[in-house]
Amino acid sequence: MRILVTGGAGFIGSHLCERLLSEGNEVICLDNFFTGRKANIAHLRDDANFEVIRHDVTEPIFVEVDQIYNFACPASPVHYQYNPVKTVKTNVMGAVNMLGLAKRVRARILQASTSEVYGDPLVHPQTEDYFGNVNPIGLRSCYDEGKRVAETLMMDYHRQSGVDTRIVRIFNTYGERMMVNDGRVVSNFIVQALKGEEITIYGDGTQTRSFCYVSDLVDGIIRLMNAEGGDIHMPVNLGNPGEFTMNQLAEQVGVVTGKEIRIKYLPLPADDPKQRQPNIDRAKRLLGWEPTVPLADGLKRAAAYFADVID
Ligand code: NAD
Ligand code: UDP
């Protein structure tokens, strides 16, 4: 198949491009290089089946493809809050443009959504039928609400125009190729530990997240894209149900890096969700998927990567 991956030079997108190429597909990576890097895809450049287009998803584009993975959007709060208006445009106009393309060339399209659509969830663990608790006017809304509209567009293009859609709600994912200055918690803690700096915990560190290693996530995403069935257009949670407080994560990072951990507590950002854990029953049922890499193993692999990069 010929497959378009928007955001293909980013953290998850680059792993996705790599996997799709290894399975014998032609891959077109589209990226504006806001948070993506050429280094993430440098090892793919010699593959005759790989193409890169520098393009912004807020502008229309025409390419003949069979499948579209729409992953373009900064994912770290630091980066998506840098230019919030642009974040909304990327999510909304990006989805409109990619859905328009999917409709025109009859491609199947998968939208990268997020556990952030649940906001600061009052239902725990989160099931796909929970509507969420999202602040529509806060600092995170450009991302949360942007993704919610992207989901709306996916469902409406499906119902109105018969576009063959998939929606994945991704929970916190980590691994190689996150940027050293990405700003998300796993890369921050590992880089700080490796550099002998204080670990920055926001708030009292009792808030929880559930961390999925990138290879597990990519496996689930590809299964979802290629799955068929009646309710396959409905959103599917993908994440690792193992839930940890930020204090526990800091401790684990100390263990895997073999460094003594010193902690600095900083103020909690506004609207920071207190708890997050995916219910993955739907993914198990529809895709036969569940994650296989425990946090300690994934952290070890990520720490080895960051140690190399920092060197
Ligand atoms: P990332 O920032 O590493 O990658 C995003 C990529 O999109 C980058 O290559 C960036 O340059 C590109 N991009 C941004 N705006 C663009 C635009 N307007 N036009 C073209 N390209 C653009 O982030 P990531 O962690 O790889 O996340 C990828 C996708 O997965 C995002 O849509 C994100 O919302 C979603 N997601 C990620 C996580 C996670 O934990 N990593 C969780 C939930 C959802
Ligand atoms: N966090 C932290 N220290 C950091 C970066 C993040 O304590 O250096 C916290 C953050 O406040 C949040 C959790 O870690 O409670 C996860 O943050 P991240 O930005 O990785 O993802 P998100 O909040 O989008 O789930």
Side-chain angles (χ1 to χ4, degrees):
M1 275 187 285
R2 188 178 304 137
I3 302 175
L4 177 66
V5 180
T6 77
F11 160 52
I12 298 175
S14 63
H15 287 275
L16 196 52
C17 289
E18 189 178 293
R19 256 293 288 277
L20 294 169
L21 283 169
S22 77
E23 291 174 357
N25 300 291
E26 270 182 56
V27 173
I28 302 173
C29 163
L30 181 159
D31 209 292
N32 72 350
F33 295 100
F34 173 45
T35 51
R37 289 171 306 161
K38 289 184 185 156
N40 285 347
I41 46 172
H43 62 298
L44 308 176
R45 292 300 292 263
D46 289 338
D47 191 322
N49 284 328
F50 187 62
E51 261 175 84
V52 182
I53 304 176
R54 179 185 281 269
H55 181 81
D56 197 300
V57 288
T58 58
E59 302 291 339
I61 189 166
F62 183 79
V63 275
E64 289 279 359
V65 289
D66 304 297
Q67 292 186 338
I68 302 168
Y69 289 88
N70 190 26
F71 276 63
C73 180
S76 164
V78 177
H79 295 125
Y80 71 63
Q81 289 170 18
Y82 172 76
N83 183 345
V85 173
K86 179 65 193 260
T87 301
V88 176
K89 287 184 184 170
T90 294
N91 278 317
V92 178
M93 293 159 69
V96 169
N97 287 329
M98 289 308 129
L99 279 158
L101 176 65
K103 182 178 167 189
R104 187 165 168 196
V105 302
R106 295 182 200 283
R108 182 177 289 179
I109 179 168
L110 180 146
Q111 173 65 39
S113 185
T114 168
S115 52
E116 291 279 327
V117 298
Y118 302 121
D120 190 1
L122 306 175
V123 166
H124 192 76
Q126 292 78 53
T127 46
E128 288 90 347
D129 55 5
Y130 176 46
F131 291 166
N133 176 36
V134 175
N135 176 355
I137 55 167
L139 294 177
R140 297 174 85 99
S141 338
C142 58
Y143 184 75
D144 302 4
E145 297 287 23
K147 291 287 186 184
R148 287 167 69 101
V149 175
E151 288 197 7
T152 307
L153 285 162
M154 294 289 287
M155 293 308 294
D156 283 337
Y157 266 81
H158 173 65
R159 285 186 289 247
Q160 194 177 326
S161 308
V163 176
D164 191 4
T165 53
R166 305 282 185 280
I167 299 171
V168 55
R169 291 188 178 150
I170 301 170
F171 284 65
N172 298 61
T173 298
Y174 68 98
E176 295 89 330
R177 304 200 197 117
M178 292 181 91
M179 286 195 290
V180 166
N181 64 351
D182 179 272
R184 281 176 280 185
V185 70
V186 174
S187 44
N188 271 11
F189 283 10
I190 293 177
V191 170
Q192 288 161 345
L194 291 173
K195 288 184 168 171
E197 295 170 358
E198 287 176 316
I199 302 269
T200 55
I201 293 186
Y202 305 157
D204 64 5
T206 57
Q207 73 271 34
T208 66
R209 294 292 186 275
S210 304
F211 299 101
C212 187
Y213 185 65
V214 65
S215 59
D216 277 336
L217 179 81
V218 165
D219 182 52
I221 288 169
I222 292 176
R223 284 185 197 216
L224 176 58
M225 176 64 109
N226 295 294
E228 313 268 351
D231 52 357
I232 203 68
H233 307 289
M234 299 297 282
V236 178
N237 287 341
L238 291 183
N240 190 322
E243 185 185 8
F244 298 86
T245 66
M246 296 312 104
N247 289 321
Q248 288 170 328
L249 178 68
E251 212 178 287
Q252 285 261 1
V253 166
V255 174
V256 303
T257 56
K259 303 280 186 183
E260 199 187 318
I261 294 298
R262 290 175 299 122
I263 290 175
K264 174 160 76 175
Y265 286 94
L266 295 172
L268 189 67
D271 295 330
D272 201 280
K274 283 181 272 307
Q275 52 180 1
R276 182 180 291 158
Q277 184 191 29
N279 173 309
I280 57 166
D281 290 351
R282 189 178 283 177
K284 283 185 187 164
R285 177 171 60 82
L286 293 177
L287 316 176
W289 176 87
E290 61 185 314
T292 58
V293 182
L295 183 65
D297 292 357
L299 284 181
K300 251 182 242 159
R301 296 184 209 178
Y305 167 79
F306 284 115
D308 252 14
V309 173
I310 290 169
D311 263 1

